[in-house]
Amino acid sequence: MKFWSQYFVPTLKESPADAEIASHKLLVRAGLVRKLGGGLYTYMPLGLRVMQKLTQICREEIEAGGGIELWMPHVHPVENWEQGPRWAAAREIMFRTDSAGAGKGRSKEPEFVLGPTHEEVITPLVKQEITSYRDLPKNFFQIATKFRNEIRPRFGLMRAREFVMMDAYSFDATDDGAVKSYFAMKSAYEKFFKRVGVRAIAVEADTGVMGGSFSHEFMVPAEIGDDDVIYSDAGYAANREKATSALVPKDFADAAPVGAVEEFATPGVVTIAALAAAPFNVAADQQFKTLVYVGDGKPFVVILRGSDELEEAKLGSLGFTLCRAATSEEIEPALGAKPGSLGAVKGTFKNGEALAGVFADHAIRLIGNGTTGANKDGFHVRNVNVTRDLAITKFGDFRRVRPGEPCPQSGQPLQVRRGIEVGHIFKLGTKYSEKYNAVYTDDQKQTHFFEMGCYGIGISRTMQAVIEQSHDPDGIVWPWNVAPFQVLICVLDPDSPEAMGLAQKLGAVAEQAGADVLVDERAERPGVKFKDADLIGIPLRITIGSKGLKDGIVELKARNSKDVAKVPLAEIEARLAATVAEAKAKSA
RNA sequence: CGGGGUGUAGCUUAGCCUGGUAGAGCGCCUGGUUUGGGACCAGGAGGUCGUAGGUUCGAAUCCUAUCGCCCCGACCA
């Protein structure tokens, strides 16, 4: 039992100027966090209590799913990362020590990085400690602070430079085992979010820099989320980077060529829109859009319908470590023209040898005979047939889906909504174990790379996502299991020994029943106490006032309801114990 | 990193355009009256106006630089 005036709950009437979204404002107003700098927050006592509850629930569910908790350093020798598969991509967002390191009296200063996750630490550890299939599978996890030098921290804890995350790493002997470990974690995640009391849906996700073969994100639907979830009523759900649609029917037959490829002059026409306008009038979805990217130093071509947008993340499937748009200076020597006149018709590249490939989005098959750039400034070509004319290395899915397109599973129209990513699971395969030569020996004395998976839950982000999903105009409405306290006893007249005595007694009853109790015995007016009570969102409120005491009653009110129960003193203890027990049972 | 904005008391802010003694609300302190949904009265403390230069008789205000923060974009394990 904590007493408000001896505890520390600094609430604010007004929102800080730098908070824009509801959950961020409430985090600060309810005294849960205070800002140190961009993306850096102190967890105040109330906020810390929520974090501890989230942490404990997470620990229990991950353990139940097979996880074994440990703790790794957050300062890593840079060598661990240099040896790993994603150093080139990850170094951009990592905090690093100054490698010059001068002035410390040492001839050479070792370089360190702050860990954004720990594949680079756990994989060498497991390599060292586990050598036999008999010791597999294993799944190690920790709940700890993570560091990412975000380009743009925002929305309070939503995208912070320092944050708390649960990260787990599974090691299996076989791919089947890895799949099992993966789905054990998926199920543990579902239990975690359910117990927390937040609605989070699993969506198919892109594997991004992590690499690996498949992946799910756990998204809390919210308008302010910075990810788009594409879904259909039939149950399909994927994030924007990964989502596909069934644009090309399975039995689609490519159109037959209608004539020879023919060049025509298009002076000054360098956009899809310009070619779609008079006098050319080539509809955007009958044009081939030719984009040039650079993958690991070598240019490559991507072809889309003119009406489609490239989803850059999908280039990840091509296997390059780093991808970026090519510059004009890089494009011209390879293709022979500037952007606006590019195409991929066979034999029109100035130097096709320089290209790492020509990758075509499936949807261009719908074009049949279309128009594209001639790789000669000021000229396009028409009657371009996909199979006959284009120099395609490989087809793939590169376009960004649009709402209304058919769901790849059911054909129903796809819909979009925003979400907050609170968890992510990856099946990694052997991407990391190969890099570190992390192997075990099987029963045939053969060595194999570990089949790995990695799993993350943003604990601090989840705290904010809960608030975003569960608040009203008066403040936070905490779900029972993560509320900093479950019962708030408002003593309106703290000078009354009778009232304080009753508060003590009821507090003990609630604690006995399994609730954490906060007693507001401040010398404040009732209005102040009620406003603060609503703001900090404790699920169950007991009000002890002198008027009520005279009539022999106290009030019982749930934060998520308007109903106030006036309970006779003779019944309150039993009623309180029963209410707490019921709330606990419902949230279990 | 590109675009936009902003920095004045613990918090929210006015004043800046058009230079001339830095104001308010909340919060805080003292006293009094109040006491069931952010009370009232009286008194009080608290600001080198982000920082550094410059222009000027005079700068919160104009100019330059710099730092921080916020938003949009890019980016995002």
Side-chain angles (χ1 to χ4, degrees):
Chain A
M1 201 180 323
K2 293 268 193 294
F3 291 86
W4 193 307
S5 60
Q6 288 156 44
Y7 199 54
F8 193 61
V9 187
T11 58
L12 298 172
K13 275 191 200 178
E14 289 178 290
S15 299
D18 60 15
E20 174 126 318
I21 63 172
S23 55
H24 184 191
K25 289 176 182 170
L26 289 171
L27 273 173
V28 180
R29 284 191 56 211
L32 299 168
V33 302
R34 287 294 186 262
K35 183 165 80 171
L36 173 65
L40 301 170
Y41 288 85
T42 295
Y43 296 92
M44 304 295 275
L46 222 51
L48 181 62
R49 289 186 68 97
V50 178
M51 291 293 287
Q52 286 167 339
K53 295 201 173 188
L54 285 164
T55 299
Q56 187 53 31
I57 295 170
C58 184
R59 173 175 293 122
E60 288 171 13
E61 292 305 334
I62 299 301
E63 283 187 341
I68 303 164
E69 188 168 13
L70 47 59
W71 179 274
M72 290 177 266
H74 299 103
V75 178
H76 305 169
V78 73
E79 288 79 8
N80 278 61
W81 282 80
E82 287 170 342
Q83 196 185 340
R86 56 173 173 167
W87 173 236
R91 58 191 300 172
E92 301 294 320
I93 62 135
M94 292 175 69
F95 289 105
R96 305 165 62 182
T97 54
D98 180 0
S99 57
K104 290 196 184 168
R106 278 172 263 180
S107 57
K108 184 167 181 279
E109 187 69 16
E111 185 178 353
F112 297 101
V113 297
L114 289 181
T117 65
H118 284 67
E119 286 80 359
E120 282 75 359
V121 175
I122 194 80
T123 310
L125 177 80
V126 168
K127 168 189 176 166
Q128 182 180 302
E129 301 296 330
I130 297 183
T131 51
S132 162
Y133 73 99
R134 294 173 194 275
D135 291 326
L136 296 174
K138 283 283 181 288
N139 185 343
F140 296 105
F141 79 98
Q142 63 175 350
I143 301 175
T145 304
K146 295 285 178 288
F147 302 89
R148 292 182 195 174
N149 196 0
E150 292 289 352
I151 301 166
R152 178 147 98 87
R154 64 180 119 181
F155 296 154
L157 303 179
M158 216 51 104
R159 182 177 298 283
R161 289 198 164 100
E162 183 182 322
F163 57 97
V164 176
M165 179 168 155
M166 185 293 299
D167 49 322
Y169 308 91
S170 66
F171 294 83
D172 277 272
T174 62
D175 186 67
D176 283 356
V179 170
K180 241 180 235 171
S181 295
Y182 181 90
F183 284 101
M185 279 297 104
K186 183 160 182 276
S187 151
Y189 273 42
E190 280 157 1
K191 288 178 190 152
F192 168 75
F193 290 115
K194 183 158 185 291
R195 271 182 75 186
V196 166
V198 69
R199 202 166 70 80
I201 51 176
V203 311
E204 290 180 26
D206 181 66
T207 51
V209 179
M210 296 297 315
S213 45
F214 58 92
S215 169
H216 284 86
E217 278 175 355
F218 282 76
M219 310 287 293
V220 173
E223 279 314 304
I224 56 92
D226 47 5
D227 291 287
D228 282 334
V229 178
I230 313 289
Y231 67 101
S232 78
D233 292 335
Y236 175 79
N239 75 359
R240 167 71 79 189
E241 285 74 35
K242 174 83 176 177
T244 64
S245 60
L247 269 193
V248 184
K250 281 204 174 62
D251 54 357
F252 182 81
D254 289 2
V258 294
V261 172
E262 179 190 358
E263 190 175 286
F264 61 107
T266 50
V269 172
V270 293
T271 61
I272 300 286
L275 197 60
F280 303 106
N281 300 318
V282 181
D285 63 4
Q286 293 302 310
Q287 299 184 36
F288 297 98
K289 178 186 281 188
T290 308
L291 303 173
V292 184
Y293 274 72
V294 175
D296 298 338
K298 210 170 174 191
F300 65 91
V301 172
V302 183
I303 316 171
L304 300 155
R305 287 194 303 174
S307 51
D308 285 337
E309 295 297 322
L310 174 68
E311 179 58 64
E312 283 196 24
K314 289 182 177 175
L315 298 180
S317 66
L318 297 175
F320 298 109
T321 305
L322 278 179
C323 270
R324 60 168 174 82
T327 62
S328 271
E329 289 70 33
E330 291 167 320
I331 294 171
E332 217 173 336
L335 301 214
K338 294 189 187 67
S341 303
L342 304 178
V345 173
K346 288 172 190 166
T348 62
F349 296 132
K350 185 174 178 184
N351 179 12
E353 296 297 304
L355 296 173
V358 177
F359 305 101
D361 184 78
H362 294 297
I364 66 166
R365 291 176 57 201
L366 297 171
I367 297 178
N369 295 280
T371 300
T372 190
N375 284 332
K376 195 159 104 184
D377 288 336
F379 290 88
H380 280 75
V381 286
R382 59 169 72 98
N383 295 338
V384 175
N385 183 269
V386 173
T387 40
R388 182 190 64 183
D389 304 317
L390 294 180
I392 294 167
T393 312
K394 200 169 105 183
F395 278 93
D397 174 30
F398 303 110
R399 65 186 291 280
R400 169 175 282 219
V401 301
R402 271 191 278 263
E405 292 174 359
C407 165
Q409 289 171 4
S410 66
Q412 291 185 18
L414 291 171
Q415 303 173 60
V416 188
R417 72 185 303 176
R418 307 284 283 172
I420 301 164
E421 180 190 344
V422 286
H424 208 153
I425 56 181
F426 296 91
K427 182 169 171 295
L428 288 174
T430 56
K431 176 172 174 173
Y432 287 82
S433 46
E434 283 182 35
K435 277 283 184 181
Y436 293 97
N437 195 29
V439 297
Y440 68 93
T441 307
D442 70 10
D443 58 359
Q444 305 297 313
K445 300 180 184 171
Q446 297 293 307
T447 59
H448 302 276
F449 294 117
F450 293 107
E451 293 287 340
M452 292 175 59
C454 72
Y455 317 92
I457 292 178
I459 300 290
S460 43
R461 182 184 280 193
T462 297
M463 171 160 84
Q464 187 167 351
V466 169
I467 298 173
E468 191 64 34
Q469 190 174 87
S470 186
H471 70 273
D472 66 16
D474 294 318
I476 302 168
V477 184
W478 285 116
W480 186 268
N481 284 340
V482 296
F485 295 90
Q486 279 99 15
V487 173
L488 174 66
I489 303 179
C490 283
V491 184
L492 299 188
D493 181 8
D495 290 334
S496 153
E498 189 195 354
M500 282 305 291
L502 181 58
Q504 290 268 11
K505 197 160 97 184
L506 294 182
V509 168
E511 284 190 335
Q512 189 64 38
D516 295 325
V517 179
L518 177 65
V519 179
D520 184 358
E521 31 58 287
R522 292 175 297 169
E524 289 287 352
R525 296 168 58 86
V528 174
K529 296 190 175 196
F530 293 143
K531 287 290 184 190
D532 274 345
D534 289 344
L535 179 60
I536 67 172
I538 307 302
L540 197 58
R541 187 180 91 196
I542 297 169
T543 307
I544 301 174
S546 26
K547 282 179 186 171
L549 282 185
K550 249 179 242 164
D551 300 337
I553 58 126
V554 298
E555 290 169 9
L556 202 56
K557 181 186 176 299
R559 176 65 180 85
N560 60 9
S561 156
K562 283 193 165 40
D563 302 332
V564 179
K566 293 186 191 302
V567 183
L569 287 177
E571 297 168 23
I572 183 60
E573 290 186 34
R575 177 79 176 269
L576 176 59
T579 308
V580 169
E582 188 190 341
K584 275 189 70 164
K586 251 203 255 175
S587 319

